[in-house]
Amino acid sequence: MIIAQQKKQENIVEYILYMWYIEDLIRANNFDVQQIEKTVIDRFEQPESVLREMSNWYRDLIERMKDEETEKGGHLGFLTEQVHQLNDLHLNLINDLNEPKYRRAYFSAEPYITELKKKSAPNATEIEVCLNALYMLMMIRMKGASPSTETVAAIETFGDMLVLLNDKFIKNNR
């Protein structure tokens, strides 16, 4: 789908979060493309050819999720791979003395990452922790709820770090 590809080229972090949302949307619609057409696609005022393309895109994702057995949870392999690539770059940047801006952003976020990792995801990488926190915040806000001030403050440090990481990732993958 064109929107998904544009997001990927411009912002890998946004793309990952968007695709996680799409995975959850597919799960919420019981992997039923007709239901997705009714609840999602039919809301778009687009030419029939675009709506058909959207439907096919969802159909392809449904098949991939079934093939990769991510119906109940987890993420598609290509998304997991991108998270691992981001984490590899993150590890390189925090150890690179020529990256003081990234290192400062990381050291601001690191206590929050460590705390959240202990509480909820001891086996996750630091980047997975940050992405999961951003996704959680997105879901809280979509439900109309207000996260705590402390949560927002912590996640803002993640966002600051991920913006820099995203820029390096995009620059390295052009």
Side-chain angles (χ1 to χ4, degrees), residues 117-131:
K117 187 173 177 162
K118 283 180 191 173
K119 286 182 182 177
S120 63
N123 296 322
T125 67
E126 290 180 323
I127 296 305
E128 287 173 312
V129 169
C130 292
L131 290 169

Side-chain angles (χ1 to χ4, degrees), residues 31-158:
F31 293 81
D32 182 343
V33 79
Q34 279 96 16
Q35 192 170 330
I36 292 169
E37 287 170 350
K38 288 178 191 167
T39 60
V40 179
I41 297 171
D42 289 348
R43 294 179 182 208
F44 290 91
E45 291 186 25
Q46 294 292 320
E48 187 61 36
S49 62
V50 173
L51 298 175
R52 212 173 16 261
E53 180 184 339
M54 291 171 72
S55 184
N56 288 336
W57 184 72
Y58 277 99
R59 192 173 277 110
D60 289 344
L61 285 174
I62 288 168
E63 287 305 312
R64 286 177 92 165
M65 289 177 74
K66 287 179 179 179
D67 289 347
E68 295 183 27
E69 299 178 354
T70 58
E71 293 102 315
K72 298 203 184 306
H75 302 292
L76 288 165
F78 74 95
L79 296 171
T80 301
E81 177 57 32
Q82 289 185 321
V83 172
H84 289 300
Q85 288 174 9
L86 278 174
N87 194 67
D88 289 346
L89 178 58
H90 160 72
L91 293 173
N92 288 334
L93 292 172
I94 61 174
N95 291 308
D96 187 341
L97 297 177
N98 294 318
E99 293 293 342
K101 191 173 181 180
Y102 187 81
R103 290 167 51 91
R104 274 192 305 276
Y106 169 69
F107 290 122
S108 292
E110 194 267 337
Y112 301 114
I113 295 169
T114 301
E115 182 181 339
L116 189 55
K117 187 173 177 162
K118 283 180 191 173
K119 286 182 182 177
S120 63
N123 296 322
T125 67
E126 290 180 323
I127 296 305
E128 287 173 312
V129 169
C130 292
L131 290 169
N132 284 329
L134 284 172
Y135 188 75
M136 177 191 67
L137 179 63
M138 185 175 83
M139 293 294 103
I140 289 170
R141 288 184 170 158
M142 286 177 78
K143 291 178 181 176
S146 297
S148 70
T149 305
E150 297 82 21
T151 297
V152 171
I155 293 175
E156 281 178 359
T157 66
F158 300 169

